[in-house]
Amino acid sequence: DVSPVVAGLIGATVLVVSVSVTVFVWTCCHQQAEKKHKTPPYKFIHMLKGISIYPETLSNKKKINRIRRDKNGTPKETGRGNLLVDAAESGLIGSDKAPDGPNAAPHVDQLPIKVDYGDELSPDQSLTPGGSKTSSPSSPGDDIMLGELTFSVDYNFPKKALVVTIQEAHGLPVMDEHTQSSDPYIKMTILPDKRHRVKTRVLRKTLDPVFDETFTFYGIPYSQLQDLVLHFLVLSFDRFSRDDVIGEVMVPLAGVDPSTGKVQLTREILKRNIQKCISRGELQVSLSYQPVAQRMTVVVLKARHLPKMDITGLSDPYVKVNVYYGRKRIAKKKTHVKKCTLNPVFNESFIYDIPVDLLPDISIEFLVIDFDRTTKNEVVGRLILGAHSVTAGGVEHWQEVCENPRKPVAKWHSLSEY
């Protein structure tokens, strides 16, 4: 004999357990079904020293994992998406390290710089602060040998795949004065589409790195190889600021014939020519400085002729504003995302309290970024005004702002590659 209360408790418990098990089984089945139907935006395989990082077979039903790198440069595997170059968004590059000693510049953490803004401007998904950076307002001098890069190019006809193996580099310059060495890695892009962007792992404290990494790109017809150009960007990892750009190598495949087998190539690493960077659209910004209040007002007005980043032929752009004192980023803010447009109008302002005596060492970086909910946000282009400006228009704009206090100065600037 069981009392009605005990019987009721037993019945309720059985019901709850049954519902929980049913929901759990349904969720597992639903997730498994979603995984089977997902396909990557494009397919490629990354081989590290002859071992495939992606163990799945190359069928349309399989998805390709993505390799990301942690702060130490160690490859780390994530579950979905494709390998994209980390967006450039923190620190400014330079060959000089921060001085030490009693005559050194004041520490940036003690600077009285703060940001005033009306409401929250950050989108739901932002870029990683420790992401690697790919461009530099300063590069090694013309008289410095930048070394050589050795790689090979092959083509797999049955699978319509271009196979590029980054083997090694020799004679790289010293980028870290403290260790008298460098921490090199290489970013590779297939031009002109820039669809495939990959990078090697970081090798620590070496001027003669041996990468031995193979990237296999699928879906590239052999007839199109003559129109493609391999772009290798050689960088040195910097834990505390923007990575240093050592140089670049451009290899048109029009002069390479991998039809008879693997082609071994060695090319000299050349200084990166920033002036040859392809324009990525234009950005209009306004700056004004109040010397009495010691306040800089930055207004992101609008952009035009941005490149198409989505399959719809449009983009979802927003602008990230980074403020630097020397090579240290001291403030960052973002505008709202403008959906489905190549000519966005932002009209958003940011106010920074900056002492007059610090203006010569202040730089303002504008990163136009394409927002994406499913994959990593991509940097469309960048603009630098201030101490580290690399264009004549940027230098002229900054000088006009400093020479005309209390006057808003608005100008259009071409965005450069990041």
Side-chain angles (χ1 to χ4, degrees):
D1 295 334
V2 181
S3 66
V5 175
V6 176
L9 290 175
I10 294 175
T13 302
V14 172
L15 179 62
V16 170
V17 172
S18 301
V19 172
S20 301
V21 171
T22 303
V23 171
F24 177 76
V25 172
W26 180 86
T27 303
C28 293
C29 295
H30 183 69
Q31 292 179 350
Q32 192 68 20
E34 285 186 346
K35 289 181 180 180
K36 290 183 178 180
H37 290 85
K38 283 185 178 179
T39 56
Y42 61 86
K43 295 187 295 184
F44 69 91
I45 287 294
H46 182 190
M47 299 285 292
L48 174 58
K49 292 190 176 181
I51 302 175
S52 176
I53 295 180
Y54 309 107
E56 293 87 355
T57 58
L58 295 175
S59 64
N60 292 331
K61 295 182 180 180
K62 297 289 185 179
K63 64 180 181 178
I64 296 177
N65 292 338
R66 177 175 62 188
I67 299 299
R68 295 187 60 189
R69 300 179 186 274
D70 57 19
K71 295 181 179 179
N72 298 323
T74 305
K76 182 173 63 176
E77 196 167 313
T78 57
R80 60 181 177 81
N82 58 313
L83 182 63
L84 293 176
V85 174
D86 294 336
E89 62 149 57
S90 64
L92 288 178
I93 199 166
S95 58
D96 299 330
K97 302 296 180 182
D100 298 326
N103 296 327
H107 196 277
V108 293
D109 293 338
Q110 301 174 356
L111 294 178
I113 298 195
K114 57 185 178 180
V115 186
D116 297 329
Y117 56 97
D119 48 16
E120 182 61 37
L121 301 177
S122 302
D124 294 335
Q125 186 175 359
S126 61
L127 297 175
T128 305
S132 58
K133 286 69 62 179
T134 60
S135 60
S136 165
S138 62
S139 299
D142 295 330
D143 56 339
I144 299 178
M145 299 299 294
L146 302 181
E148 294 180 335
L149 177 65
T150 301
F151 58 96
S152 65
V153 179
D154 197 1
Y155 190 80
N156 189 323
F157 285 92
K159 296 181 179 179
K160 295 184 179 180
L162 176 65
V163 182
V164 180
T165 301
I166 302 176
Q167 296 173 344
E168 57 187 4
H170 289 290
L172 299 181
V174 174
M175 304 303 291
D176 190 343
E177 296 179 358
H178 295 285
T179 61
Q180 287 298 304
S181 185
S182 298
D183 298 325
Y185 69 98
I186 296 176
K187 291 182 178 180
M188 192 194 79
T189 307
I190 299 180
L191 303 178
D193 294 338
K194 300 181 183 179
R195 182 182 178 186
H196 303 290
R197 298 177 179 178
V198 296
K199 68 178 180 179
T200 67
R201 70 197 190 284
V202 178
L203 297 182
R204 301 291 182 176
K205 298 181 181 179
T206 178
L207 301 180
D208 300 290
V210 178
F211 299 101
D212 195 11
E213 299 191 38
T214 300
F215 299 92
T216 305
F217 302 93
Y218 292 83
I220 300 180
Y222 182 78
S223 59
Q224 295 182 4
L225 289 185
Q226 303 300 312
D227 301 327
L228 302 181
V229 177
L230 300 182
H231 177 238
F232 300 91
L233 188 64
V234 186
L235 304 102
S236 178
F237 175 77
D238 192 327
R239 184 185 300 276
F240 303 105
S241 63
R242 180 173 292 275
D243 295 348
D244 298 321
V245 175
I246 296 176
E248 66 179 355
V249 176
M250 302 284 288
V251 183
L253 293 182
V256 180
D257 185 14
S259 60
T260 58
K262 182 183 297 185
V263 180
Q264 186 91 2
L265 300 170
T266 299
R267 293 289 186 270
E268 182 181 356
I269 301 174
L270 304 177
K271 179 180 178 181
R272 192 181 192 194
N273 191 340
I274 300 178
Q275 301 300 327
K276 290 184 179 180
C277 293
I278 303 174
S279 175
R280 307 289 289 171
E282 295 179 287
L283 179 67
Q284 186 184 39
V285 296
S286 172
L287 277 70
S288 63
Y289 186 72
Q290 302 291 334
V292 176
Q294 299 191 8
R295 176 173 294 178
M296 175 73 73
T297 301
V298 179
V299 183
V300 181
L301 295 172
K302 51 188 174 181
R304 63 187 180 190
H305 310 316
L306 297 181
K308 302 174 183 178
M309 304 297 291
D310 299 335
I311 59 176
T312 59
L314 299 173
S315 297
D316 300 323
Y318 69 94
V319 179
K320 183 169 185 178
V321 183
N322 295 321
V323 180
Y324 306 93
Y325 173 70
R327 298 175 60 202
K328 176 70 174 181
R329 183 173 64 183
I330 56 179
K332 61 177 181 178
K333 277 297 164 187
K334 302 174 185 177
T335 68
H336 289 92
V337 178
K338 301 299 179 180
K339 296 289 186 179
C340 302
T341 177
L342 301 179
N343 300 280
V345 177
F346 299 101
N347 284 334
E348 300 188 37
S349 62
F350 309 93
I351 300 175
Y352 306 92
D353 292 333
I354 303 177
V356 177
D357 55 341
L358 299 184
L359 275 181
D361 297 319
I362 294 294
S363 299
I364 303 177
E365 180 186 50
F366 302 87
L367 291 175
V368 180
I369 304 171
D370 176 50
F371 175 74
D372 198 319
R373 287 190 183 277
T374 57
T375 61
K376 178 175 281 296
N377 299 341
E378 282 195 81
V379 179
V380 176
R382 70 196 293 255
L383 165 68
I384 299 178
L385 301 179
H388 291 87
S389 180
V390 296
T391 62
V395 173
E396 180 183 351
H397 192 176
W398 186 259
Q399 289 179 348
E400 188 173 349
V401 171
C402 296
E403 294 172 358
N404 298 273
R406 296 176 294 276
K407 176 184 176 182
V409 181
K411 289 183 180 293
W412 283 98
H413 296 275
S414 296
L415 297 171
S416 64
E417 289 183 309
Y418 40 100

